[in-house]
Amino acid sequence: MQGTVDGFSYGLVTPLVAYLMACLGGALGLRCTTRSMLVAQSWRPGWLALGSAAIGSGIWTMHFIAMMGFTVRGTTIHYDKPMTFASLAVAIVMVGIGIFIVGYRGARGTALFTGGTITGLGIASMHYLGMASMRLDGKLEYDTLTVGISVAIAMAAATAALWAAGQVRGFLWSVGASLVMGLAVSGMHYTGMAGLSVHLHGTAEPTTGESPAALLAPMLIGPLAFLLLAGVVVMFDPLMVMGKPAVVPVEQRPGIPAHVHTAHNPQRLRLRPRRTVEHRSRTPQNR
């Protein structure tokens, strides 16, 4: 029996809030990626790891907020908790691989394509793994073409967002990149859901797992608390707003002491010949 699927049972509330969460996670993660390009090598892994966790938490939270508005008439929906949180881990790890590639190789050429592709695949993997955690009296089926389009949207938009983050041109570029990242996650989600169909079994056996309401508390308390903490770190870092480094890191000029690049060296070079000439002119008079 074909089940009636409704992805907007709360109207536009869940899509809007889900999109804002995706933008928030994307904004924090991409700003951390930008910041990693402006610091010494020793600090770069920390910023990239923070950015990966922020984006992963944002897209995971976006997905399950959107799924709050998903219902199937004739059956109740539950979620398998271990698989649900496994989708969060997959999102953070795969997004992290893409961000680390761009953070160390630069947002251009092969590195950008590879990093954007892996990041987009991480978004898609999180979505479909989260869908696999659903427990209901029926079977989920997907249209292959629609699934392929959703994955392509995620990869293309993620690549564009990483490119914008790698330009290091200020706060407005990061805002634009976060909007693109939010579009990638939301567009991929609802495109994939458009190709979903549910065939109900029609049995009276109850499904097992956590209800959507039971998942709401850890979803909000955990990832949202982390996003809040990441936001505090971003706001208290002055270079996050400027978008450019105040000084050139010492690690970029190995073997050269910092005191060599002082503004007083040219003056000292001009004064030395004068002192030498004066010393020589006084020597014959003393004799």
Side-chain angles (χ1 to χ4, degrees):
M1 182 176 61
Q2 185 73 25
T4 302
V5 177
D6 184 9
F8 304 93
S9 59
Y10 293 101
L12 296 178
V13 175
T14 49
L16 181 59
V17 176
Y19 175 72
L20 293 177
M21 289 306 306
C23 290
L24 175 61
L28 296 175
L30 294 175
R31 285 307 292 169
C32 291
T33 304
T34 300
R35 183 65 173 88
S36 70
M37 301 177 183
L38 308 176
V39 297
Q41 292 287 344
S42 59
W43 287 92
R44 185 168 298 179
W47 283 107
L48 293 175
L50 180 62
S52 304
I55 294 178
S57 299
I59 62 178
W60 186 82
T61 305
M62 174 271 156
H63 173 81
F64 284 100
I65 287 180
M67 292 305 294
M68 289 292 139
F70 178 79
T71 58
V72 179
R73 185 176 300 175
T75 183
T76 58
I77 299 176
H78 300 271
Y79 290 90
D80 180 72
K81 182 175 286 187
M83 188 174 293
T84 298
F85 289 102
S87 65
L88 173 61
V90 169
I92 294 176
V93 171
M94 292 194 67
V95 170
I97 294 174
I99 286 181
F100 268 78
I101 292 174
V102 172
Y104 278 94
R105 298 295 182 181
R108 59 186 180 275
T110 305
L112 176 62
F113 175 78
T114 305
T117 300
I118 296 177
T119 301
L121 290 176
I123 296 173
S125 299
M126 181 281 308
H127 171 82
Y128 289 105
L129 185 59
M131 294 298 294
S133 67
M134 295 177 59
R135 299 291 181 264
L136 69 163
D137 185 24
K139 179 182 179 181
L140 304 181
E141 294 185 357
Y142 296 94
D143 179 70
T144 304
L145 178 60
T146 306
V147 171
I149 294 175
S150 68
V151 175
I153 291 175
M155 292 190 298
T159 301
L162 291 178
W163 174 83
Q167 298 306 302
V168 196
R169 292 183 180 177
F171 181 73
L172 293 180
W173 275 81
S174 296
V175 173
S178 66
L179 295 178
V180 173
M181 180 64 77
L183 182 64
V185 180
S186 300
M188 183 271 147
H189 175 87
Y190 286 104
T191 301
M193 297 301 291
L196 172 67
S197 60
V198 180
H199 294 272
L200 299 179
H201 298 320
T203 64
E205 297 179 1
T207 57
T208 59
E210 296 291 334
S211 65
L215 279 179
L216 181 60
M219 180 179 62
L220 294 179
I221 295 176
L224 283 181
F226 173 78
L227 290 175
L228 178 61
L229 178 62
V232 172
V233 174
V234 168
M235 287 189 300
F236 281 91
D237 186 359
L239 293 184
M240 299 300 290
V241 179
M242 299 302 296
K244 57 183 179 179
V247 295
V248 178
V250 178
E251 285 79 359
Q252 295 181 2
R253 304 296 300 274
I256 302 178
H259 67 275
V260 174
H261 302 281
T262 58
H264 301 286
N265 288 338
Q267 297 179 0
R268 292 178 181 177
L269 292 176
R270 284 196 293 265
L271 290 176
R272 287 177 181 175
R274 294 179 183 178
R275 293 177 181 177
T276 305
V277 172
E278 292 177 0
H279 178 72
R280 291 179 180 178
S281 61
R282 293 176 182 176
T283 303
Q285 296 178 2
N286 293 336
R287 291 180 180 179

